[in-house]
Short mmCIF file of all heavy atoms in Angstrom, two decimals:
data_model
loop_
_atom_site.label_atom_id
_atom_site.label_comp_id
_atom_site.label_asym_id
_atom_site.label_seq_id
_atom_site.Cartn_x
_atom_site.Cartn_y
_atom_site.Cartn_z
N TYR A 52 71.15 -43.19 13.22
CA TYR A 52 72.36 -43.72 12.56
C TYR A 52 73.62 -42.95 12.97
O TYR A 52 74.60 -42.97 12.24
CB TYR A 52 72.19 -43.68 11.05
CG TYR A 52 71.56 -44.94 10.45
CD1 TYR A 52 70.53 -44.85 9.51
CD2 TYR A 52 72.02 -46.22 10.78
CE1 TYR A 52 69.98 -46.00 8.93
CE2 TYR A 52 71.47 -47.37 10.21
CZ TYR A 52 70.45 -47.25 9.29
OH TYR A 52 69.92 -48.38 8.72
N LYS A 53 73.59 -42.32 14.13
CA LYS A 53 74.71 -41.48 14.56
C LYS A 53 76.07 -42.21 14.53
O LYS A 53 77.09 -41.60 14.21
CB LYS A 53 74.45 -40.94 15.97
CG LYS A 53 75.33 -39.75 16.32
CD LYS A 53 74.73 -38.89 17.42
CE LYS A 53 75.66 -37.77 17.86
NZ LYS A 53 76.17 -36.95 16.76
N VAL A 54 76.06 -43.52 14.80
CA VAL A 54 77.33 -44.29 14.76
C VAL A 54 78.00 -44.20 13.38
O VAL A 54 79.21 -44.43 13.28
CB VAL A 54 77.15 -45.79 15.10
CG1 VAL A 54 76.76 -45.98 16.53
CG2 VAL A 54 76.19 -46.50 14.16
N HIS A 55 77.22 -43.88 12.36
CA HIS A 55 77.79 -43.83 11.00
C HIS A 55 78.08 -42.40 10.54
O HIS A 55 78.32 -42.18 9.36
CB HIS A 55 76.82 -44.48 10.02
CG HIS A 55 76.68 -45.96 10.21
ND1 HIS A 55 77.75 -46.81 10.21
CD2 HIS A 55 75.59 -46.75 10.41
CE1 HIS A 55 77.34 -48.07 10.41
NE2 HIS A 55 76.04 -48.05 10.54
N GLU A 56 78.08 -41.44 11.48
CA GLU A 56 78.12 -40.03 11.03
C GLU A 56 79.39 -39.64 10.28
O GLU A 56 79.37 -38.69 9.52
CB GLU A 56 77.84 -39.05 12.18
CG GLU A 56 78.90 -38.93 13.21
CD GLU A 56 78.48 -37.99 14.35
OE1 GLU A 56 77.72 -37.06 14.11
OE2 GLU A 56 78.96 -38.22 15.47
N THR A 57 80.47 -40.40 10.47
CA THR A 57 81.71 -40.05 9.75
C THR A 57 81.82 -40.77 8.40
O THR A 57 82.75 -40.53 7.64
CB THR A 57 82.95 -40.42 10.59
OG1 THR A 57 82.90 -41.84 10.84
CG2 THR A 57 82.96 -39.68 11.91
N LYS A 58 80.87 -41.66 8.11
CA LYS A 58 80.96 -42.45 6.88
C LYS A 58 80.50 -41.61 5.68
O LYS A 58 79.61 -40.78 5.80
CB LYS A 58 80.07 -43.70 6.97
CG LYS A 58 80.26 -44.54 8.21
CD LYS A 58 81.33 -45.59 8.03
CE LYS A 58 81.63 -46.32 9.33
NZ LYS A 58 80.49 -47.08 9.84
N PRO A 59 81.09 -41.89 4.51
CA PRO A 59 80.72 -41.11 3.31
C PRO A 59 79.25 -41.28 2.92
O PRO A 59 78.67 -40.40 2.30
CB PRO A 59 81.64 -41.68 2.21
CG PRO A 59 82.15 -42.98 2.74
CD PRO A 59 82.17 -42.87 4.24
N PHE A 60 78.64 -42.41 3.32
CA PHE A 60 77.26 -42.66 2.90
C PHE A 60 76.22 -42.14 3.90
O PHE A 60 75.02 -42.31 3.71
CB PHE A 60 77.04 -44.17 2.66
CG PHE A 60 77.37 -45.07 3.85
CD1 PHE A 60 76.46 -45.26 4.88
CD2 PHE A 60 78.59 -45.72 3.91
CE1 PHE A 60 76.76 -46.08 5.97
CE2 PHE A 60 78.90 -46.55 5.01
CZ PHE A 60 77.98 -46.73 6.03
N TYR A 61 76.69 -41.47 4.98
CA TYR A 61 75.79 -41.08 6.08
C TYR A 61 74.61 -40.21 5.63
O TYR A 61 73.45 -40.49 5.97
CB TYR A 61 76.61 -40.37 7.16
CG TYR A 61 75.83 -39.90 8.36
CD1 TYR A 61 75.16 -40.79 9.20
CD2 TYR A 61 75.77 -38.53 8.69
CE1 TYR A 61 74.46 -40.36 10.32
CE2 TYR A 61 75.08 -38.09 9.81
CZ TYR A 61 74.44 -39.01 10.61
OH TYR A 61 73.75 -38.58 11.72
N SER A 62 74.88 -39.16 4.88
CA SER A 62 73.80 -38.24 4.52
C SER A 62 72.77 -38.93 3.61
O SER A 62 71.55 -38.82 3.83
CB SER A 62 74.38 -36.99 3.84
OG SER A 62 73.33 -36.11 3.53
N ASP A 63 73.27 -39.67 2.61
CA ASP A 63 72.35 -40.39 1.72
C ASP A 63 71.54 -41.42 2.50
O ASP A 63 70.35 -41.61 2.25
CB ASP A 63 73.14 -41.13 0.62
CG ASP A 63 73.66 -40.18 -0.44
OD1 ASP A 63 73.23 -39.01 -0.46
OD2 ASP A 63 74.52 -40.60 -1.24
N LEU A 64 72.20 -42.08 3.45
CA LEU A 64 71.53 -43.10 4.27
C LEU A 64 70.38 -42.48 5.07
O LEU A 64 69.28 -43.04 5.13
CB LEU A 64 72.56 -43.73 5.21
CG LEU A 64 72.07 -44.70 6.27
CD1 LEU A 64 71.41 -45.92 5.63
CD2 LEU A 64 73.24 -45.15 7.16
N CYS A 65 70.63 -41.31 5.63
CA CYS A 65 69.59 -40.66 6.45
C CYS A 65 68.47 -40.08 5.57
O CYS A 65 67.31 -40.13 5.96
CB CYS A 65 70.23 -39.59 7.33
SG CYS A 65 71.40 -40.34 8.50
N ASP A 66 68.83 -39.60 4.38
CA ASP A 66 67.79 -39.16 3.42
C ASP A 66 66.89 -40.35 3.08
O ASP A 66 65.67 -40.24 3.06
CB ASP A 66 68.43 -38.67 2.11
CG ASP A 66 68.90 -37.24 2.20
OD1 ASP A 66 68.34 -36.48 3.02
OD2 ASP A 66 69.84 -36.88 1.47
N TYR A 67 67.54 -41.46 2.82
CA TYR A 67 66.80 -42.66 2.41
C TYR A 67 65.90 -43.19 3.53
O TYR A 67 64.70 -43.44 3.33
CB TYR A 67 67.79 -43.73 1.95
CG TYR A 67 67.23 -45.12 1.99
CD1 TYR A 67 66.18 -45.49 1.15
CD2 TYR A 67 67.71 -46.05 2.91
CE1 TYR A 67 65.64 -46.75 1.21
CE2 TYR A 67 67.18 -47.31 2.98
CZ TYR A 67 66.14 -47.66 2.13
OH TYR A 67 65.60 -48.90 2.21
N LEU A 68 66.45 -43.31 4.75
CA LEU A 68 65.65 -43.88 5.85
C LEU A 68 64.44 -43.01 6.18
O LEU A 68 63.42 -43.50 6.65
CB LEU A 68 66.51 -44.09 7.11
CG LEU A 68 65.83 -44.95 8.18
CD1 LEU A 68 65.70 -46.41 7.73
CD2 LEU A 68 66.55 -44.87 9.52
N SER A 69 64.57 -41.70 5.89
CA SER A 69 63.45 -40.79 6.17
C SER A 69 62.59 -40.52 4.93
O SER A 69 61.69 -39.68 4.97
CB SER A 69 64.00 -39.47 6.75
OG SER A 69 64.90 -38.87 5.85
N SER A 70 62.84 -41.26 3.85
CA SER A 70 62.16 -40.95 2.59
C SER A 70 60.74 -41.50 2.49
O SER A 70 60.00 -41.15 1.58
CB SER A 70 62.98 -41.51 1.40
OG SER A 70 62.98 -42.93 1.45
N GLY A 71 60.36 -42.38 3.41
CA GLY A 71 59.03 -42.96 3.36
C GLY A 71 58.75 -43.72 4.64
O GLY A 71 59.62 -43.79 5.52
N PRO A 72 57.56 -44.31 4.74
CA PRO A 72 57.22 -45.06 5.96
C PRO A 72 58.15 -46.26 6.17
O PRO A 72 58.66 -46.84 5.21
CB PRO A 72 55.79 -45.53 5.70
CG PRO A 72 55.27 -44.71 4.58
CD PRO A 72 56.46 -44.29 3.78
N ILE A 73 58.33 -46.57 7.43
CA ILE A 73 59.09 -47.77 7.83
C ILE A 73 58.26 -48.50 8.89
O ILE A 73 57.36 -47.90 9.50
CB ILE A 73 60.48 -47.41 8.42
CG1 ILE A 73 60.34 -46.47 9.65
CG2 ILE A 73 61.37 -46.77 7.36
CD1 ILE A 73 61.65 -46.20 10.39
N ILE A 74 58.57 -49.77 9.09
CA ILE A 74 57.95 -50.50 10.21
C ILE A 74 59.06 -50.86 11.17
O ILE A 74 60.05 -51.50 10.78
CB ILE A 74 57.22 -51.76 9.73
CG1 ILE A 74 56.05 -51.34 8.84
CG2 ILE A 74 56.70 -52.57 10.93
CD1 ILE A 74 55.26 -52.48 8.27
N VAL A 75 58.91 -50.41 12.42
CA VAL A 75 59.89 -50.78 13.45
C VAL A 75 59.26 -51.84 14.33
O VAL A 75 58.07 -51.76 14.68
CB VAL A 75 60.36 -49.57 14.29
CG1 VAL A 75 61.18 -48.63 13.43
CG2 VAL A 75 59.21 -48.81 14.91
N MET A 76 60.05 -52.85 14.65
CA MET A 76 59.53 -54.00 15.39
C MET A 76 60.50 -54.42 16.47
O MET A 76 61.72 -54.38 16.27
CB MET A 76 59.37 -55.21 14.44
CG MET A 76 58.37 -55.00 13.34
SD MET A 76 58.37 -56.39 12.17
CE MET A 76 59.95 -56.13 11.39
N ILE A 77 59.95 -54.87 17.59
CA ILE A 77 60.76 -55.58 18.58
C ILE A 77 60.54 -57.06 18.31
O ILE A 77 59.41 -57.55 18.34
CB ILE A 77 60.32 -55.26 20.02
CG1 ILE A 77 60.47 -53.77 20.31
CG2 ILE A 77 61.14 -56.09 21.01
CD1 ILE A 77 59.98 -53.34 21.70
N LEU A 78 61.64 -57.76 17.98
CA LEU A 78 61.58 -59.20 17.73
C LEU A 78 62.14 -59.94 18.93
O LEU A 78 63.16 -59.54 19.50
CB LEU A 78 62.43 -59.57 16.51
CG LEU A 78 62.07 -58.93 15.17
CD1 LEU A 78 63.01 -59.44 14.08
CD2 LEU A 78 60.62 -59.23 14.80
N GLU A 79 61.47 -61.02 19.29
CA GLU A 79 61.90 -61.85 20.42
C GLU A 79 62.20 -63.27 19.97
O GLU A 79 61.42 -63.86 19.21
CB GLU A 79 60.77 -61.95 21.45
CG GLU A 79 60.76 -60.85 22.46
CD GLU A 79 59.62 -61.04 23.46
OE1 GLU A 79 59.07 -62.15 23.57
OE2 GLU A 79 59.28 -60.04 24.11
N LYS A 80 63.30 -63.80 20.46
CA LYS A 80 63.66 -65.19 20.17
C LYS A 80 64.89 -65.52 21.02
O LYS A 80 65.59 -64.59 21.47
CB LYS A 80 64.03 -65.34 18.68
CG LYS A 80 64.21 -66.77 18.21
CD LYS A 80 64.67 -66.86 16.76
CE LYS A 80 64.90 -68.33 16.41
NZ LYS A 80 65.28 -68.57 15.02
N ASN A 81 65.19 -66.78 21.23
CA ASN A 81 66.48 -67.12 21.81
C ASN A 81 67.57 -66.61 20.87
O ASN A 81 67.49 -66.84 19.65
CB ASN A 81 66.63 -68.63 21.99
CG ASN A 81 65.88 -69.14 23.20
OD1 ASN A 81 65.41 -68.36 24.04
ND2 ASN A 81 65.75 -70.45 23.32
N ASP A 82 68.56 -65.93 21.43
CA ASP A 82 69.67 -65.39 20.61
C ASP A 82 69.16 -64.48 19.50
O ASP A 82 69.68 -64.50 18.36
CB ASP A 82 70.47 -66.53 19.96
CG ASP A 82 71.61 -66.99 20.85
OD1 ASP A 82 72.05 -66.20 21.70
OD2 ASP A 82 72.04 -68.16 20.70
N ALA A 83 68.15 -63.67 19.79
CA ALA A 83 67.47 -62.88 18.75
C ALA A 83 68.43 -61.99 17.95
O ALA A 83 68.27 -61.86 16.73
CB ALA A 83 66.37 -62.02 19.37
N VAL A 84 69.41 -61.39 18.62
CA VAL A 84 70.30 -60.46 17.90
C VAL A 84 71.05 -61.19 16.80
O VAL A 84 70.99 -60.81 15.61
CB VAL A 84 71.29 -59.77 18.87
CG1 VAL A 84 72.32 -58.96 18.11
CG2 VAL A 84 70.53 -58.88 19.86
N LYS A 85 71.71 -62.29 17.17
CA LYS A 85 72.51 -63.04 16.21
C LYS A 85 71.62 -63.74 15.17
O LYS A 85 71.91 -63.76 13.98
CB LYS A 85 73.36 -64.08 16.95
CG LYS A 85 74.65 -64.42 16.21
CD LYS A 85 75.36 -65.62 16.79
CE LYS A 85 75.71 -65.47 18.27
NZ LYS A 85 76.06 -66.76 18.89
N GLU A 86 70.52 -64.30 15.64
CA GLU A 86 69.60 -65.01 14.74
C GLU A 86 69.01 -64.07 13.69
O GLU A 86 68.83 -64.44 12.54
CB GLU A 86 68.48 -65.66 15.55
CG GLU A 86 68.93 -66.85 16.38
CD GLU A 86 69.27 -68.06 15.51
OE1 GLU A 86 68.37 -68.53 14.80
OE2 GLU A 86 70.43 -68.49 15.53
N ASN A 87 68.71 -62.84 14.11
CA ASN A 87 68.16 -61.88 13.16
C ASN A 87 69.21 -61.46 12.14
O ASN A 87 68.92 -61.35 10.95
CB ASN A 87 67.60 -60.66 13.90
CG ASN A 87 66.98 -59.65 12.95
OD1 ASN A 87 66.33 -60.02 11.97
ND2 ASN A 87 67.20 -58.38 13.20
N ARG A 88 70.43 -61.23 12.59
CA ARG A 88 71.50 -60.86 11.66
C ARG A 88 71.70 -61.98 10.63
O ARG A 88 71.95 -61.72 9.46
CB ARG A 88 72.82 -60.59 12.41
CG ARG A 88 72.80 -59.38 13.34
CD ARG A 88 72.71 -58.06 12.64
NE ARG A 88 73.74 -57.82 11.67
CZ ARG A 88 73.98 -56.62 11.12
NH1 ARG A 88 73.25 -55.55 11.48
NH2 ARG A 88 74.92 -56.47 10.23
N LYS A 89 71.59 -63.23 11.10
CA LYS A 89 71.75 -64.38 10.21
C LYS A 89 70.62 -64.41 9.16
O LYS A 89 70.86 -64.60 7.98
CB LYS A 89 71.74 -65.66 11.05
CG LYS A 89 72.41 -66.85 10.42
CD LYS A 89 72.80 -67.89 11.46
CE LYS A 89 71.59 -68.62 12.01
NZ LYS A 89 71.90 -69.58 13.07
N LEU A 90 69.40 -64.20 9.62
CA LEU A 90 68.24 -64.23 8.72
C LEU A 90 68.27 -63.06 7.73
O LEU A 90 67.85 -63.19 6.58
CB LEU A 90 66.94 -64.22 9.55
CG LEU A 90 65.62 -64.22 8.78
CD1 LEU A 90 65.50 -65.44 7.86
CD2 LEU A 90 64.44 -64.18 9.75
N MET A 91 68.78 -61.88 8.19
CA MET A 91 68.87 -60.72 7.30
C MET A 91 69.87 -60.93 6.17
O MET A 91 69.63 -60.52 5.04
CB MET A 91 69.35 -59.49 8.08
CG MET A 91 68.35 -58.88 9.02
SD MET A 91 69.18 -57.81 10.22
CE MET A 91 69.99 -56.63 9.16
N GLY A 92 71.01 -61.52 6.47
CA GLY A 92 72.08 -61.69 5.49
C GLY A 92 72.99 -60.47 5.44
O GLY A 92 72.77 -59.48 6.14
N ALA A 93 74.02 -60.56 4.59
CA ALA A 93 75.04 -59.51 4.51
C ALA A 93 74.43 -58.17 4.10
O ALA A 93 73.41 -58.12 3.40
CB ALA A 93 76.12 -59.93 3.52
N THR A 94 75.11 -57.08 4.50
CA THR A 94 74.65 -55.72 4.20
C THR A 94 74.41 -55.54 2.69
O THR A 94 73.42 -54.93 2.29
CB THR A 94 75.72 -54.71 4.67
OG1 THR A 94 76.01 -54.97 6.04
CG2 THR A 94 75.24 -53.28 4.51
N ASP A 95 75.32 -56.07 1.88
CA ASP A 95 75.19 -55.98 0.43
C ASP A 95 74.42 -57.21 -0.08
O ASP A 95 74.93 -58.33 0.00
CB ASP A 95 76.58 -55.93 -0.20
CG ASP A 95 76.54 -55.77 -1.71
OD1 ASP A 95 75.43 -55.86 -2.30
OD2 ASP A 95 77.61 -55.55 -2.31
N PRO A 96 73.21 -57.02 -0.57
CA PRO A 96 72.39 -58.16 -1.02
C PRO A 96 73.13 -59.09 -2.00
O PRO A 96 72.89 -60.28 -2.03
CB PRO A 96 71.18 -57.50 -1.69
CG PRO A 96 71.08 -56.17 -1.03
CD PRO A 96 72.49 -55.74 -0.73
N LYS A 97 74.06 -58.50 -2.79
CA LYS A 97 74.82 -59.33 -3.74
C LYS A 97 75.69 -60.36 -3.02
O LYS A 97 76.05 -61.38 -3.58
CB LYS A 97 75.73 -58.44 -4.61
CG LYS A 97 74.96 -57.63 -5.64
CD LYS A 97 75.87 -57.14 -6.78
CE LYS A 97 76.94 -56.17 -6.31
NZ LYS A 97 76.43 -54.85 -5.92
N LYS A 98 76.06 -60.03 -1.77
CA LYS A 98 76.94 -60.93 -1.01
C LYS A 98 76.17 -61.76 0.01
O LYS A 98 76.76 -62.56 0.75
CB LYS A 98 78.00 -60.09 -0.28
CG LYS A 98 78.93 -59.39 -1.24
CD LYS A 98 79.99 -58.59 -0.51
CE LYS A 98 80.86 -57.83 -1.52
NZ LYS A 98 81.50 -56.66 -0.93
N ALA A 99 74.86 -61.56 0.08
CA ALA A 99 74.06 -62.27 1.09
C ALA A 99 73.81 -63.71 0.67
O ALA A 99 73.69 -64.02 -0.52
CB ALA A 99 72.73 -61.53 1.28
N ASP A 100 73.76 -64.60 1.67
CA ASP A 100 73.52 -66.02 1.39
C ASP A 100 72.10 -66.25 0.89
O ASP A 100 71.18 -65.51 1.24
CB ASP A 100 73.72 -66.84 2.68
CG ASP A 100 75.17 -66.91 3.09
OD1 ASP A 100 76.06 -66.69 2.23
OD2 ASP A 100 75.43 -67.17 4.29
N GLU A 101 71.95 -67.35 0.14
CA GLU A 101 70.62 -67.80 -0.28
C GLU A 101 69.73 -67.98 0.96
O GLU A 101 70.22 -68.44 2.00
CB GLU A 101 70.71 -69.18 -0.97
CG GLU A 101 71.28 -69.16 -2.37
CD GLU A 101 70.47 -68.32 -3.35
OE1 GLU A 101 69.24 -68.19 -3.18
OE2 GLU A 101 71.09 -67.78 -4.28
N GLY A 102 68.47 -67.65 0.82
CA GLY A 102 67.54 -67.87 1.92
C GLY A 102 67.48 -66.72 2.91
O GLY A 102 66.66 -66.73 3.81
N THR A 103 68.34 -65.71 2.73
CA THR A 103 68.28 -64.56 3.64
C THR A 103 67.33 -63.49 3.06
O THR A 103 67.05 -63.47 1.85
CB THR A 103 69.68 -63.94 3.86
OG1 THR A 103 70.18 -63.45 2.60
CG2 THR A 103 70.65 -64.97 4.43
N ILE A 104 66.87 -62.62 3.95
CA ILE A 104 65.91 -61.59 3.53
C ILE A 104 66.55 -60.63 2.53
O ILE A 104 65.94 -60.25 1.53
CB ILE A 104 65.37 -60.83 4.77
CG1 ILE A 104 64.52 -61.78 5.62
CG2 ILE A 104 64.58 -59.59 4.35
CD1 ILE A 104 64.05 -61.18 6.95
N ARG A 105 67.80 -60.25 2.79
CA ARG A 105 68.43 -59.29 1.87
C ARG A 105 68.71 -59.92 0.50
O ARG A 105 68.63 -59.24 -0.52
CB ARG A 105 69.69 -58.72 2.51
CG ARG A 105 69.35 -57.65 3.57
CD ARG A 105 70.52 -57.29 4.41
NE ARG A 105 70.30 -56.03 5.14
CZ ARG A 105 71.15 -55.57 6.06
NH1 ARG A 105 72.25 -56.24 6.36
NH2 ARG A 105 70.88 -54.44 6.68
N LYS A 106 69.05 -61.20 0.49
CA LYS A 106 69.26 -61.88 -0.80
C LYS A 106 67.95 -61.90 -1.59
O LYS A 106 67.91 -61.61 -2.79
CB LYS A 106 69.75 -63.31 -0.54
CG LYS A 106 69.85 -64.17 -1.75
CD LYS A 106 71.05 -63.79 -2.58
CE LYS A 106 71.21 -64.70 -3.78
NZ LYS A 106 72.45 -64.37 -4.49
N GLU A 107 66.87 -62.22 -0.87
CA GLU A 107 65.56 -62.37 -1.51
C GLU A 107 64.98 -61.03 -1.96
O GLU A 107 64.45 -60.92 -3.06
CB GLU A 107 64.63 -63.05 -0.48
CG GLU A 107 63.23 -63.35 -0.97
CD GLU A 107 63.15 -64.62 -1.80
OE1 GLU A 107 64.15 -65.36 -1.84
OE2 GLU A 107 62.09 -64.85 -2.40
N TYR A 108 65.07 -60.03 -1.09
CA TYR A 108 64.33 -58.80 -1.34
C TYR A 108 65.17 -57.54 -1.55
O TYR A 108 64.67 -56.55 -2.06
CB TYR A 108 63.36 -58.53 -0.17
CG TYR A 108 62.38 -59.64 0.06
CD1 TYR A 108 62.44 -60.43 1.22
CD2 TYR A 108 61.39 -59.94 -0.88
CE1 TYR A 108 61.54 -61.47 1.43
CE2 TYR A 108 60.50 -60.97 -0.67
CZ TYR A 108 60.57 -61.73 0.49
OH TYR A 108 59.69 -62.76 0.69
N GLY A 109 66.44 -57.55 -1.10
CA GLY A 109 67.26 -56.34 -1.18
C GLY A 109 67.54 -55.96 -2.62
O GLY A 109 67.66 -56.81 -3.50
N ILE A 110 67.69 -54.65 -2.85
CA ILE A 110 67.95 -54.15 -4.21
C ILE A 110 69.42 -53.84 -4.38
O ILE A 110 70.02 -54.10 -5.41
CB ILE A 110 67.12 -52.85 -4.45
CG1 ILE A 110 65.63 -53.14 -4.38
CG2 ILE A 110 67.49 -52.23 -5.79
CD1 ILE A 110 64.77 -51.89 -4.40
N SER A 111 70.02 -53.24 -3.33
CA SER A 111 71.40 -52.77 -3.42
C SER A 111 71.92 -52.57 -2.00
O SER A 111 71.16 -52.69 -1.04
CB SER A 111 71.44 -51.43 -4.17
OG SER A 111 70.58 -50.51 -3.49
N ILE A 112 73.20 -52.23 -1.88
CA ILE A 112 73.79 -52.08 -0.53
C ILE A 112 73.07 -51.00 0.28
O ILE A 112 72.97 -51.11 1.50
CB ILE A 112 75.31 -51.84 -0.60
CG1 ILE A 112 75.95 -51.99 0.80
CG2 ILE A 112 75.64 -50.49 -1.23
CD1 ILE A 112 77.45 -52.13 0.80
N ASP A 113 72.55 -49.98 -0.38
CA ASP A 113 71.83 -48.95 0.39
C ASP A 113 70.34 -49.30 0.55
O ASP A 113 69.77 -49.11 1.62
CB ASP A 113 72.03 -47.55 -0.21
CG ASP A 113 71.83 -47.51 -1.72
OD1 ASP A 113 72.04 -48.55 -2.38
OD2 ASP A 113 71.45 -46.46 -2.22
N LYS A 114 69.75 -49.88 -0.47
CA LYS A 114 68.33 -50.26 -0.37
C LYS A 114 68.24 -51.76 -0.08
O LYS A 114 67.91 -52.57 -0.95
CB LYS A 114 67.59 -49.91 -1.66
CG LYS A 114 67.56 -48.40 -1.87
CD LYS A 114 66.75 -47.99 -3.05
CE LYS A 114 66.63 -46.47 -3.05
NZ LYS A 114 66.01 -45.95 -4.24
N ASN A 115 68.57 -52.10 1.16
CA ASN A 115 68.70 -53.52 1.50
C ASN A 115 67.57 -54.02 2.40
O ASN A 115 67.70 -55.02 3.09
CB ASN A 115 70.08 -53.80 2.09
CG ASN A 115 70.38 -52.94 3.30
OD1 ASN A 115 69.50 -52.26 3.83
ND2 ASN A 115 71.62 -52.98 3.76
N SER A 116 66.45 -53.31 2.38
CA SER A 116 65.14 -53.79 2.89
C SER A 116 64.95 -53.90 4.40
O SER A 116 63.84 -53.74 4.88
CB SER A 116 64.74 -55.13 2.25
OG SER A 116 64.72 -55.03 0.86
N VAL A 117 66.01 -54.24 5.13
CA VAL A 117 65.84 -54.40 6.58
C VAL A 117 67.05 -53.88 7.36
O VAL A 117 68.18 -53.88 6.86
CB VAL A 117 65.62 -55.89 6.98
CG1 VAL A 117 64.19 -56.34 6.71
CG2 VAL A 117 66.63 -56.82 6.33
#
Side-chain angles (χ1 to χ4, degrees):
Y52 271 134
K53 198 158 175 52
V54 293
H55 292 306
E56 70 184 329
T57 60
K58 309 271 173 63
F60 56 82
Y61 180 62
S62 181
D63 286 347
L64 173 61
C65 297
D66 278 334
Y67 159 66
L68 192 69
S69 58
S70 67
I73 58 174
I74 295 179
V75 292
M76 297 174 290
I77 299 177
L78 300 181
E79 272 181 18
K80 189 184 177 177
N81 282 349
D82 270 336
V84 172
K85 208 191 302 165
E86 288 289 300
N87 181 39
R88 295 292 304 192
K89 203 160 72 183
L90 179 58
M91 287 163 59
T94 307
D95 183 351
K97 287 199 296 290
K98 295 181 183 156
D100 290 339
E101 286 300 331
T103 63
I104 293 174
R105 283 168 164 173
K106 173 75 177 185
E107 182 81 9
Y108 302 112
I110 297 171
S111 56
I112 192 165
D113 47 332
K114 295 185 172 173
N115 56 11
S116 304
V117 282

